[in-house]
Amino acid sequence: MKNAGSVLVFPTWPENPYLNLLELSARAAGYRFAGATTHSELLRELRRLRGGDVAHVHWTTPLVQEAADDADAGERLLALLDALRAARRRGARLIWTIHNRLPHELRFREREIALYQGLADLADVVHVMAPDTARVVSDVVALDPRKVRVIPHPSYEGIYDVGGVDREAARVAFDLAPQERAVLFLGQIRPYKGVDALIEAAAATDGDIALLLAGVVKEQSADDVAALIPDGLRAITHFSFVPDGDLARWFRASDVAVFPYRAILNSGSVHLAATFRLPVVLPDEPHLREQFGGEPWVAFFDTARPAQSIAELLADRDLFEAVTEADFAAFTAPISPWRTARAYRALLDELSGGGERAR
């Protein structure tokens, strides 16, 4: 077997579980992965690419949004598109994964839209995780349907020790009483994620509610978030990164996870909750209804009145009573990490000729 090609991933973070899972099969097949995390690093690494190599752009925030000013953003944009065109002329191929409708930190909107369209035009494949993505981003970027390829976000089956933590022991660890309903939000705590609405909803819910908040706080301070929690609401907080080895304790102790996002296209947190067999509450957005509307372990809150709607759902203790293990398994089995990784490897083979090299 000859060596497979090189894959340049931007931005690449060794601790990112999504990237690690996506690349499993390709790494096993001999693909060599390189990475860049800044605009200048990406330009440098793009110059190394030749025929058989693939550049894969994921999150775009570091490219023009970290510019000093609008003029700098424009220069960054032109330099990047020129570098991508040059790499393609040398025979390299380009994949663009759309993770967000637009970056959540948006300083230079028009430059970002131009970047999106440039990536869409130059990409050999536009990778999406949700089937409705093209419609959701249609007011931002026009996608050629012939380029769009759906490879779903993987579950985390087999990655975390789901059964290694007993539910009763997990609840004891948080000092949760049997009658308390534990409501979980776990992930980066940022303004667009709507944690303030969740706190308001939990405080307005009659009955024994314990709010579990865990994750690094960004674009505000932990004190600002803590100040939103009113007296009388029992809240267990951990405003820091939750190690992988401790995730099971938080999920197993909880009765429901709520993701009160004000803006969302894809969320790995939903797949993580499903892996731990925890029902979730999501915003009632059309593309989320399309993707998750048939799942009995998913409920939707009214985005026009988020706090009130979430409170109503939390008050319904029978909401997920009929959900079974089989319901979660039916969702996670087709998107197992290895199945998703094999689909990504097949895409790399198609673009780079890796399938020919393996024969």
Side-chain angles (χ1 to χ4, degrees), residues 214-253:
V216 175
V217 179
K218 293 196 170 184
E219 296 138 48
Q220 55 192 323
S221 71
D223 288 342
D224 290 337
V225 178
L228 297 174
I229 302 172
D231 295 338
L233 172 61
R234 175 154 145 74
I236 300 165
T237 62
H238 177 77
F239 296 136
S240 184
F241 176 74
V242 178
D244 285 352
D246 198 32
L247 286 174
R249 187 171 65 100
W250 289 83
F251 279 93
R252 294 288 287 159

Side-chain angles (χ1 to χ4, degrees), residues 172-187:
V172 168
F174 287 107
D175 196 26
L176 293 167
Q179 75 277 9
E180 282 186 298
R181 193 172 198 202
V183 179
L184 175 68
F185 177 93
L186 189 148

Side-chain angles (χ1 to χ4, degrees), residues 179-183 197-211 230-234 256 258 306-317:
Q179 75 277 9
E180 282 186 298
R181 193 172 198 202
V183 179
L198 174 57
I199 293 172
E200 182 182 345
T205 305
D206 293 332
D208 295 308
I209 291 287
L211 182 60
D231 295 338
L233 172 61
R234 175 154 145 74
V256 60
V258 179
Q308 300 94 318
S309 181
I310 292 171
E312 291 164 3
L313 293 170
L314 295 181
D316 184 359
R317 287 181 172 264

Side-chain angles (χ1 to χ4, degrees), residues 119-156:
L119 289 171
D121 293 341
L122 289 172
D124 296 280
V125 169
V126 177
H127 165 219
V128 303
M129 288 173 273
D132 210 23
T133 297
R135 183 195 62 78
V136 176
V137 303
S138 61
D139 64 329
V140 174
V141 59
L143 301 180
D144 182 344
R146 295 169 297 181
K147 294 184 177 183
V148 174
R149 190 74 58 88
V150 180
I151 300 178
H153 192 296
S155 74
Y156 295 91

Side-chain angles (χ1 to χ4, degrees), residues 253-277:
S254 301
D255 295 287
V256 60
V258 179
F259 301 111
Y261 302 144
R262 295 188 174 93
I264 179 176
L265 179 58
N266 303 289
S267 175
S269 297
V270 177
H271 296 73
L272 188 58
T275 301
F276 281 100
R277 296 346 191 206

Side-chain angles (χ1 to χ4, degrees), residues 335-348:
I335 55 170
S336 68
W338 189 246
R339 182 173 292 190
T340 300
R342 289 183 65 184
Y344 178 61
R345 175 197 166 180
L347 175 59
L348 293 179

